[in-house]
Amino acid sequence: MKGAPPVLYRPGTVGEAVRLLAQPDAEPLAGGTDLVPALRAGAPRPRAIVSLRRVLELRVRGVGADALTVGAAVTYTELAEWSPAPGLAAVARCVGSLQVRNAGTVGGALGSANPRGDLLTFLTAADAQVLLCSARGPRVASVAEFLAGGRRRGDLVTAVRLPPARGPQVFFKIGGRQAAYPALVSCAVVVDRLTGRVGAAVGGIATAPLRVTAAEEFAASEVDWSARGAFRGSAQAVARRFGELVSAAARQAPAQLPAGQRDPVDYRCHAVGVLAARALARCLAAPAQPSMPVGVGA
Amino acid sequence: MRRREPVEQGARQVVTETEAVAAGREVTDARPAAASQPATGRGCDPGRRPEHGQPPAPVAGDDPAAPLPVAPYRLHVDGVPRRVTGAALEESLLTVLRERLGITSVKDACEHGRCGSCSVLLDGRLVNSCTVLAADAADARISTVAGLPADGLAPVLQQAFLRHGAVQCGFCTPGFIVSATDLLTRRPDASEDELREALAGNICRCTGYGRIIAAIRAVQAELAGGGEPAAGGEAAGDAGTVGDASAAGPGDGTGEGA
Ligand SMILES: Cc1cc2nc3c(=O)[nH]c(=O)nc-3n(C[C@@H](O)[C@@H](O)[C@H](O)COP(=O)(O)OP(=O)(O)OC[C@H]3O[C@@H](n4cnc5c(N)ncnc54)[C@H](O)[C@@H]3O)c2cc1C
Ligand code: FES
Ligand code: FES
């Protein structure tokens, strides 16, 4: 708040943006859905704002043999229409309102690191990587590493990279009016039929999305995903047990979010279990097509 | 749906230079008059809650922490280039449209992107102007309800809103007209579910939405060739009377806090 008035920079390339972000107290600006209201509400004003609106490199979406790449400035609306990533598209469709989806970006979601961010829950379950660039050069981090380390000064998220959809991917969330408020809790389940791996994460429990490894291992061992999700026992029982494991993991999670008025910790832990059970049941019911768009927002 | 140009195509518009909207160094103690005015005339908005503390724009005075204005910049609003002077960098497009340019048809209620009353089109995309940094919109095309084409869908929607009683206090109406115009332009035959989903970001405290949906459905029916007649004929008298009242809402924003 002291000294020189703030300055807006509008670079055209990642290189320029990164150079500008190297100066002290410089903040990137993407869609503005989080940052602009925060500035208005009196958040500490950065000395420099570096707008990414003109950095076209950040708007790429790429499909490779073993990875999908989504540029940091890709909006939810653009993601929502992107057929190579049906799970990601389904998550994007259930973010906020059309106005928010038209402006809000992938990079902004990571930059804000909201523990209830829908995209973060999904990216965590999907084993996504965050591609970063700073004046020191590029680096790659897992979503968990990126969120745990906090955004380092001068870091620009350039893209996220995730494996292509090779099985059912389901995302569920509960909360108040979706268009106006982030979800209370969310759960993403991502199945890879090729490797038999199941990724599961819950949002709204801890300060960052929580990977539920015990539940993942149970779902991977109990179900033969390559054979159309063949399982021992009933699908219902498998899904219920999966939900219980997720609830238990949520209760034991370190760095729990403080209880809110409308969401005591008990409720949240119970609710993610219910979401997880439903999500796995949905995965089990999915046909064996390699990439079924079954993600749904609740 | 509208999408941004993919990079391969967008690369044509070579943008290499870094454009800095530099801070107005010349302004030190004597702030320009424009910066001292806007705090007034805000209380008139029915949707405005007093607890939104923070004065929206720099208020001239002795406070050394008050934001300093940035150098003047230009916005392209409804096809007209408008010069913005005396604005602080962190001012939203909503603040600048209303308080610096006097365009009060863009409504100000929540300032958190939650209510849609400040909806505008930014390069053809529907956004909440309270979530856009005004200075960052300098090279974009901004359309408010007043700038939507007169021979397009907006006037037809406005008439339908009046006929169907979709306007009560009218505070949400400009935002709804912008959103509904955007939707029907992209998806003229949207289903009712789609319609409700696309308008979920616009809050109305009066109508309960039923009449708003009915008005839009009627316009869709008209477009499809069936349905009720547009303004004119028997409905004209009716629409005319209410139409006067509407000039203050979806109109050009001359009235204070209209
Ligand atoms: C009414 C409303 C409803 C919402 N609902 C939901 C919801 O349902 N689900 C949900 O998940 N989210 C929701 N959100 C939050 C949503 O706005 C964010 O998820 C969005 O992705 C932020 O993106 P942005 O481009 O607007 O970010 P900005 O506001 O531009 O930036 C946010 C932060 O990220 C930083 N940043 C931006 N880009 C980068 C980058 N490339 N590298 C590093 N840092 C960067 C900025 O410096 C800033 O600190 C909602 C927001 C609003 C206002
Ligand atoms: S004032 Fe902008 S969305 Fe409410
Ligand atoms: S808010 Fe009063 S008519 Fe919608």
Side-chain angles (χ1 to χ4, degrees), chain B residues 17-95:
Chain B
E17 241 180 346
T18 296
E19 177 195 324
V21 177
R25 312 269 179 215
E26 74 283 5
V27 193
T28 42
D29 22 42
R31 305 266 165 76
S36 66
Q37 284 161 1
T40 55
R42 294 171 53 82
C44 313
D45 290 346
R48 165 143 278 283
R49 278 178 272 131
E51 66 264 30
H52 289 299
Q54 299 284 321
V59 177
D62 308 322
D63 181 5
L68 293 165
V70 291
Y73 54 90
R74 244 179 240 283
L75 291 181
H76 291 265
V77 188
D78 297 335
V80 182
R82 302 286 301 264
R83 200 174 138 87
V84 179
T85 52
L89 178 57
E90 60 266 43
E91 281 178 34
S92 71
L93 182 57
L94 171 64
T95 301

Side-chain angles (χ1 to χ4, degrees), chain A residues 27-28 30-35 76 96 105 108-109 111-112 118 151 157 173, chain B residues 113:
Chain A
E27 178 99 355
T33 57
D34 282 333
L35 186 57
Y76 292 111
T105 64
S112 290
D118 297 334
R151 184 154 42 99
V157 175
K173 65 174 181 176

Side-chain angles (χ1 to χ4, degrees), chain B residues 101-119:
Chain B
L101 302 178
I103 302 174
T104 49
S105 65
V106 185
K107 296 300 173 199
D108 177 346
C110 73
E111 296 191 351
H112 275 90
R114 289 183 185 150
C115 74
S117 66
C118 67
S119 296

Side-chain angles (χ1 to χ4, degrees), chain A residues 10 16 40 54 101-102, chain B residues 18-19 111 125 136 197:
Chain A
R10 312 182 75 205
E16 280 174 292
R40 157 78 193 167
R54 297 167 69 176
R101 292 192 295 273
N102 278 346
Chain B
T18 296
E19 177 195 324
E111 296 191 351
R125 280 175 315 134
D136 193 29
E197 158 49 38

Side-chain angles (χ1 to χ4, degrees), chain A residues 195-198 214-225 242:
Chain A
T195 60
R197 184 190 162 276
V198 177
E216 288 177 349
E217 281 157 18
F218 167 79
S221 66
E222 211 62 14
V223 182
D224 178 2
W225 290 101
F242 181 74

Side-chain angles (χ1 to χ4, degrees), chain A residues 227-274:
Chain A
R228 297 192 79 253
F231 38 83
R232 295 177 234 136
S234 81
Q236 221 181 7
V238 172
R240 194 180 327 112
R241 180 72 193 130
F242 181 74
E244 284 164 8
L245 289 168
V246 169
S247 270
R251 288 202 176 84
Q252 284 151 26
Q256 294 257 359
L257 287 174
Q261 233 175 0
R262 287 187 302 163
D263 55 329
V265 173
D266 249 10
Y267 167 76
R268 286 199 303 238
C269 295
H270 171 74
V272 284
V274 173

